[in-house]
Amino acid sequence: MSGDERKRRAGLDDPASSQAIAADIARVVVSRKRIAVRVRELAGRIAECYGQAELTILAVLTGSLIFLSDLIRQLPLKMRLDVVSVCSYPGQATRSQGPRIALPPGASLSGRHVLIVDDILDSGSTLRALQQAVALMDPASLRTCVLMQKVRPDVEDRPAADFVGFEVADEFLVGYGLDFDHLYRNLPDLCVLKPACYRRGAGATGREDA
Ligand code: IMP
Ligand code: MG
């Protein structure tokens, strides 16, 4: 693929905004077009599921933000929005300390129909920890929606999401909200980076506020 084509696909063909980011992409895994179609479908299924009930979305920072903003604008429902951060690698930790949940102070999910929205279901430890924390808050119902689910036959007893956008292979993705070393969230497509980019980074692939 030519450099110009790569930039066009990355949505960065404006010379003013064009930097090295487009050159870092090895391949587009899910295009913005496919994402848009699927997000509309997911919104339709969610709306059908909740009917007239008032929904409370609990969005997992930071990776879900782009997905969240597209999804909720397609939901013709009364809904509230809360955000939660999940930190598995506090400070300088390089090994997971287990997910720690930070809900906004005063957040009350008691009696609410809660839908957890996250970017990607990988090992499932984030989702499991969140489900356990929210269940303690006595919600009226609790479901989960992820844009992607990685194929991980090696993981036993992974929690299942109720709404899944795409099944993807077990490789590290960036774009549409997902980062590598805090970069690439602004890519409009879901992409794999060139191997040299992953080597250049800090090697953190599941840090806090992932
Ligand atoms: P878990 O393993 O399912 O708990 O996922 C841990 C966190 O790592 C999630 O919150 C994701 O945001 C992040 N994550 C997992 N896979 C990827 C990826 O391919 N790209 C970017 N972030 C990822
Ligand atoms: Mg996440």
Side-chain angles (χ1 to χ4, degrees):
M1 196 191 308
S2 73
D4 284 350
E5 176 62 7
R6 256 199 317 267
K7 283 181 189 167
R8 195 190 61 71
R9 289 204 187 176
L12 296 166
D13 43 359
D14 169 8
S17 67
S18 172
Q19 294 183 357
I21 186 168
D24 289 351
I25 298 170
R27 150 173 82 77
V28 170
V29 176
V30 189
S31 71
R32 69 198 75 178
K33 257 191 181 169
R34 283 183 63 207
I35 296 171
V37 170
R38 190 66 183 133
V39 170
R40 207 171 306 126
E41 286 170 3
L42 280 177
R45 288 189 42 218
I46 292 167
E48 203 177 285
C49 173
Y50 286 94
Q52 300 300 310
E54 187 184 285
L55 178 62
T56 297
I57 287 191
L58 184 61
V60 186
L61 296 172
T62 302
S64 74
L65 285 183
I66 311 285
F67 172 43
L68 173 79
S69 72
D70 283 348
L71 182 73
I72 63 175
R73 285 177 296 163
Q74 311 251 8
L75 282 178
L77 302 176
K78 265 198 180 164
M79 56 150 285
R80 296 163 191 262
L81 177 60
D82 277 313
V83 292
V84 61
S85 66
V86 181
C87 171
S88 299
Y89 294 70
Q92 305 267 307
T94 54
R95 285 182 187 278
S96 173
Q97 311 290 302
R100 290 183 205 164
I101 312 280
L103 279 158
S108 169
L109 302 174
S110 172
R112 302 210 182 281
H113 294 285
V114 178
L115 178 67
I116 296 171
V117 171
D118 202 0
D119 51 359
I120 190 161
L121 178 56
D122 186 6
S123 72
S125 60
T126 302
L127 197 54
R128 180 177 296 107
L130 268 172
Q131 283 173 330
Q132 287 168 354
V134 174
L136 291 175
M137 300 176 87
D138 201 22
S141 68
L142 176 56
R143 293 186 178 84
T144 53
C145 172
V146 291
L147 175 65
M148 286 173 291
Q149 172 171 289
K150 276 192 189 172
V151 176
R152 291 287 307 270
D154 56 311
V155 178
E156 280 176 27
D157 300 327
R158 186 170 71 170
D162 298 282
F163 304 96
V164 177
F166 300 97
E167 285 251 322
V168 292
D170 184 11
E171 55 188 351
F172 199 80
L173 301 175
V174 298
Y176 198 68
L178 284 81
D179 76 309
F180 172 66
D181 204 16
H182 300 282
L183 296 171
Y184 306 104
R185 293 193 199 275
N186 55 324
L187 287 171
D189 307 295
L190 284 156
C191 305
V192 169
L193 296 176
K194 290 177 180 167
C197 303
Y198 296 119
R199 285 197 294 271
R200 264 204 313 268
T205 54
R207 323 146 326 272
E208 57 192 287
D209 79 355

